[in-house]
Amino acid sequence: MSIEEIVTGYHTAMLHKSPDELADLYAETGLHEFPFGGLPPFRGREEVRTGYRGMWGQMPFAVREVRRRVLRRTDDPEVVVVEQDAVVEVGEDLITVPGLLVLRIREGEIVHTRDYMDTSAIARVQSADSPR
């Protein structure tokens, strides 16, 4: 798979909240890290699948749109940086969650992701779901 196909597939998995679609983009031994927010890393394709099944399954929001802001190739041909906004719907609220992905892609599979999410936007999503 090309870099473009992987990034598009990643965003499609977010739209569908599909852990299977996301995990299928990873190498068997791929690593997914969350440098912000204190979440433990997912080590391997099956941990990505299981981890996202748990996270997305318990979050009562729908992803309405994923906007790719920037796809930047680096001096390292395996590494790309993706700036994105996820627009999520929680109840009647639409909240934009900015994020940044640093992807290492080798032989058409993700081998390493550093997933930076705006934790203040995540807190807004969580509070929008709380009883008022």
Side-chain angles (χ1 to χ4, degrees), residues 36-57:
F36 300 151
L39 298 171
F42 299 144
R43 298 179 188 284
R45 180 185 300 138
E46 294 313 311
E47 274 193 29
V48 169
R49 187 182 320 277
T50 301
Y52 270 95
R53 182 168 285 120
M55 284 194 319
W56 285 343

Side-chain angles (χ1 to χ4, degrees), residues 50-131:
T50 301
Y52 270 95
R53 182 168 285 120
M55 284 194 319
W56 285 343
Q58 71 181 354
M59 293 184 177
F61 65 83
V63 179
R64 293 295 173 221
E65 181 181 6
V66 180
R67 298 178 190 140
R68 182 190 308 176
R69 297 292 185 196
V70 175
L71 171 63
R72 184 156 333 270
R73 297 173 191 271
T74 68
D75 291 340
D76 183 334
E78 292 186 343
V79 177
V80 295
V81 178
V82 182
E83 183 181 349
Q84 64 195 23
D85 290 332
V87 179
V88 300
E89 182 178 2
V90 184
E92 296 182 18
D93 297 323
L94 286 178
I95 300 170
T96 300
V97 180
L100 187 75
L101 298 170
V102 180
L103 302 172
R104 180 172 293 278
I105 299 167
R106 186 175 300 136
E107 297 177 8
E109 296 179 311
I110 299 170
V111 296
H112 190 190
T113 298
R114 292 181 59 82
D115 188 348
Y116 299 88
M117 294 174 281
D118 180 338
T119 55
S120 65
I122 297 293
R124 287 194 306 277
V125 169
Q126 292 169 335
S127 68
D129 180 49
S130 300

Side-chain angles (χ1 to χ4, degrees), residues 1-47:
M1 237 188 276
S2 71
I3 289 170
E4 181 69 31
E5 290 169 322
I6 287 173
V7 172
T8 298
Y10 196 108
H11 289 164
T12 300
M14 290 173 65
L15 279 169
H16 297 157
K17 287 175 57 175
S18 173
D20 292 324
E21 290 177 27
L22 184 63
D24 289 347
L25 299 171
Y26 278 78
E28 186 176 332
T29 59
L31 174 64
H32 189 110
E33 296 181 300
F34 304 93
F36 300 151
L39 298 171
F42 299 144
R43 298 179 188 284
R45 180 185 300 138
E46 294 313 311
E47 274 193 29

